[in-house]
Amino acid sequence: MLLIQTREQLNGYLSTLKTNESLGLIPTMGALHIGHAALVSRAIQENHYVVVSIFVNPTQFNNTDDLEKYPQSLEADMKVLESISEDIVVFAPSIEEMYSKEIKSINYDFGGLEHVMEGAFRAGHFNGVGTIVESLLTLIKPDKAYFGEKDFQQLQIIRKLTEIRKIPVEIIGCPIVREANGLAFSSRNERLSKKMRNEAAFIYKTLISAKRLFGTKSAMHVKDWVVKQFKKHPELELEYIEITQAKTLKPIIKKYKNKKYRAFIAVYAEGVRLIDNIALN
Ligand code: PAF
């Protein structure tokens, strides 16, 4: 498997590709799990060439503790990818390689998508994500790029990014992959105790019940109900529950039959921040 660590090596590799064959990119921050593997497998089915980028992007962490504790394991990640296909190319640059002069993000206007939920609770997060994703898309020039729906707000923001920056790439959102108990796969799950990893399944169970309730009740009623459920589980500290329109991420005011809605949750468990979401209709 080819490991590329510099822009120069990357350009060398890209110059060998046939222009009429498609390139798929899966941007990651490593600590690869089954959720990432699903993105990679889909990209392999849909493209001639597949590049997985592994880069823990400092500008998208609003909390230095979270950055320091973020699992980094290039060797283990390479093994995971190798077990999927030897033909995958890994791009794992250093911080200096990606941010040559200053470790700083660009200020974007994502039309309001960036001000709610993750954006409201993680100052500067989406500017950091936008900066690194724009760099990766511009450097690698994939035909398709794959992102998980666990970070649904990120996915919508990246779609917006490619629209405002006119980046010619197809952004593909892939369904959330869950552990057997329903907990969404996340690199942060590794930081949970075994007991908490089981208890955190409550997040998805609550989302499923919220979906059922949304069929007959107002969004306000559903949100209040979710808050009450988490009060009964103080080991899971609810940061927010939001119900929004799926595309605009605008909070729902009135339910319309022809619009798609989604519920979003952020929770702290043993100091680890977990997010999840579900399509409501
Ligand atoms: O979802 C992630 O892992 C990151 O936010 C991404 C898209 C790789 C950008 O650093």
Side-chain angles (χ1 to χ4, degrees), residues 152 207-208 210-212 214-216 243-247 252 254-263 278-281:
F152 192 86
L207 280 175
I208 293 179
K211 177 174 180 153
R212 209 173 301 128
F214 188 75
T216 53
I243 296 181
T244 76
Q245 285 183 33
K247 189 154 184 257
I252 172 172
K254 192 170 177 281
K255 241 193 261 181
Y256 292 96
K257 278 214 172 81
N258 59 346
K259 290 222 161 101
K260 294 258 178 273
Y261 298 103
R262 240 173 149 97
I278 194 167
L280 292 174
N281 59 343

Side-chain angles (χ1 to χ4, degrees), residues 29 56-58 60-72 118 121-122 125 186-189 191 268 270-275:
M29 297 206 299
V56 180
N57 173 32
Q60 71 186 74
F61 286 83
N62 54 314
N63 176 335
T64 44
D65 190 49
D66 194 26
L67 172 59
E68 276 159 21
K69 289 189 175 145
Y70 204 85
Q72 297 214 40
E118 293 305 283
F121 285 92
R122 303 183 67 188
H125 171 65
S186 162
S187 307
R188 289 185 175 88
N189 294 357
R191 286 167 51 199
Y268 277 95
E270 295 175 338
V272 180
R273 196 164 179 283
L274 303 171
I275 59 171

